[in-house]
Amino acid sequence: MFLDSEDVRGAFLRDEFFPLFQPQVDLKTGRLAGFEVLARWNHARLGVIAPDSFIPFVQRHGFINSLTQRLLSRIFAAVPLVPNPLRLSINISSIQLLDASFPARVAEAAERGSFPLDRLTIEITESALLDDLPLAQSVAKELKSLHCRLCLEDFGTHHSRFFHLRDIPFDELKVDRSFIEALTENPASRTIVAALVSLGASLNLVTVAEGIETEDQALIMIELGCNLAQGWLFGRPVEASDIPAIVSATGVISAQR
Ligand code: C2E
C-alpha cells in the first residue's frame, strides 16, 4: 500500500482517523467491563485501513502524537455512551512512552472531555521499554500519578524481560492472541498461558486474554483464572454509535462518576 505524508496531512484535515470500540468482559461474571479502543483510517481513496498498516507509517512521519490526540478527543466525546464503571483502554506507540510531555497531553484531553482518568487504561507493548527504561519509568509513573492504569501487552512474544514487570508499575498483563490461537491444539501453548496467568496473579495484576474466538478458549481461560477477555466471541470492534446497544444488552448499571 502506498501512502505518503500528504495522505496523512489530508487525513487530519478531513478527519479520517476514527476509533472502534471492542468489548472487554469480566470472565467471572460474564458482564461487560469496558472497551479497547482500536484506531482506523477511513482513507479517501483506499477505504478503511487497519492500524498495523498505518501506525508505523504515521509514526515514521512524526504524526503519532497528533493521531493519539485526535483519537483521544473522539474517544472522550463518546464518553457519555460509556457509563461508569466501564473502562476504556487505549494503545500507545513505543515512542510515546519515551515522550516526557505525553502524560500532560493525556491529562489535557481528558479534562477537555471530562473523562476521569481512573477509568483509562494505557496499553504498552514491551518493545517500548527496551530503548530507555529510566525515561519509560518516569513517564509511566507520571501516568500512574494521573490515576491511569497501565497494561503490558505482547509479553512473551519477543525479547521479554521479566524485570519490566518489576520496574514499571503495571496493573494489567495481556495474554497475546498468538498464545490464545494455539490454546486448544497445542498443549505447550496451554502451559505457557497458564504460566502467564499465574505470573500475573502472583504479581497482583489483572490478566486479560485477547483474541478469544471460541467457547472452548473462553472456558480454558476461565479455568485458568484469567480475569478479563476480549475477542470475536464477545464482540467485534464497533463504532461509537453501537456502544449503547452493547451496554444495554449486558445490563450495565450506570453509577455516579
Ligand atoms: P492489539 O492491541 O493487540 O489489538 C487486538 C487486535 O486483534 C485488533 O486488531 C483487533 O481487531 C483484533 N482482534 C480482536 N479480537 C479478535 C479475535 O477474536 N480474533 C482475531 N483474529 N483478531 C481479533 P487491529 O484493530 O487491527 O489492531 C492491531 C494493533 O494495532 C493493535 O493490537 C494495537 O497494537 C495497534 N493499535 C490499534 N489502535 C492503535 C492506536 O490508536 N495507537 C497505536 N499506537 N496502536 C494501535
Side-chain angles (χ1 to χ4, degrees):
M1 178 182 326
F2 181 77
L3 293 168
D4 64 27
S5 53
E6 276 316 303
D7 280 297
V8 187
R9 262 185 263 279
F12 282 108
L13 287 175
R14 293 186 292 272
D15 209 12
E16 291 176 348
F17 295 109
F18 67 100
L20 291 184
F21 297 80
Q22 183 174 39
Q24 290 188 326
V25 300
D26 181 322
L27 278 176
K28 220 184 206 163
T29 62
R31 303 195 70 173
L32 186 65
F35 296 88
E36 179 181 5
V37 180
L38 296 158
R40 293 290 182 272
W41 179 354
N42 188 10
H43 192 284
R45 186 166 34 88
L46 302 169
V48 176
I49 312 176
D52 284 338
S53 307
F54 70 78
I55 296 282
F57 176 83
V58 167
Q59 192 167 310
R60 223 175 22 253
H61 284 81
F63 290 104
I64 194 70
N65 280 329
S66 313
L67 174 65
T68 303
Q69 287 310 109
R70 186 62 68 93
L71 284 173
L72 281 176
S73 52
R74 291 192 66 161
I75 295 162
F76 294 148
V79 159
L81 307 173
V82 184
N84 190 17
L86 297 182
R87 308 187 52 80
L88 290 172
S89 295
I90 61 163
N91 290 278
I92 63 168
S93 290
S94 23
I95 55 167
Q96 293 174 290
L97 195 68
L98 302 176
D99 172 358
S101 65
F102 178 67
R105 275 194 260 113
V106 173
E108 197 190 306
E111 201 176 320
R112 250 186 285 120
S114 306
F115 187 71
L117 283 175
D118 59 359
R119 286 170 55 206
L120 185 74
T121 302
I122 297 186
E123 299 196 5
I124 296 163
T125 61
E126 216 188 3
S127 58
L129 310 172
L130 299 174
D131 293 343
D132 185 344
L133 186 61
L135 180 54
Q137 273 178 308
S138 124
V139 173
K141 270 196 198 129
E142 212 172 318
L143 289 169
K144 291 283 293 185
S145 72
L146 294 171
H147 307 292
C148 299
R149 286 169 70 85
L150 303 181
C151 174
L152 178 61
E153 48 170 4
D154 292 349
F155 183 74
T157 56
H158 301 290
H159 303 288
S160 298
R161 311 272 170 97
F162 279 93
F163 65 77
H164 288 150
L165 284 168
R166 180 197 65 195
D167 294 342
I168 302 275
F170 286 109
D171 303 282
E172 300 180 12
L173 179 65
K174 209 159 200 186
V175 180
D176 194 73
R177 179 152 55 91
S178 54
F179 293 123
I180 303 291
E181 258 165 15
L183 199 54
T184 46
E185 286 108 50
N186 181 338
S189 266
R190 187 182 167 129
T191 308
I192 293 168
V193 170
L196 286 173
V197 172
S198 147
L199 175 69
S202 39
L203 291 170
N204 264 333
L205 303 176
V206 167
T207 44
V208 188
E210 75 171 3
I212 301 280
E213 293 181 3
T214 67
E215 275 183 26
D216 284 349
Q217 292 167 338
L219 288 172
I220 294 172
M221 295 314 291
I222 291 170
E223 211 175 281
L224 295 178
C226 185
N227 305 112
L228 300 177
Q230 65 187 88
W232 296 344
L233 179 69
F234 305 107
R236 302 237 175 188
V238 297
E239 300 219 17
S241 54
D242 293 323
I243 292 175
I246 295 176
V247 170
S248 61
T250 53
V252 174
I253 298 154
S254 181
Q256 290 291 307
R257 267 208 183 153

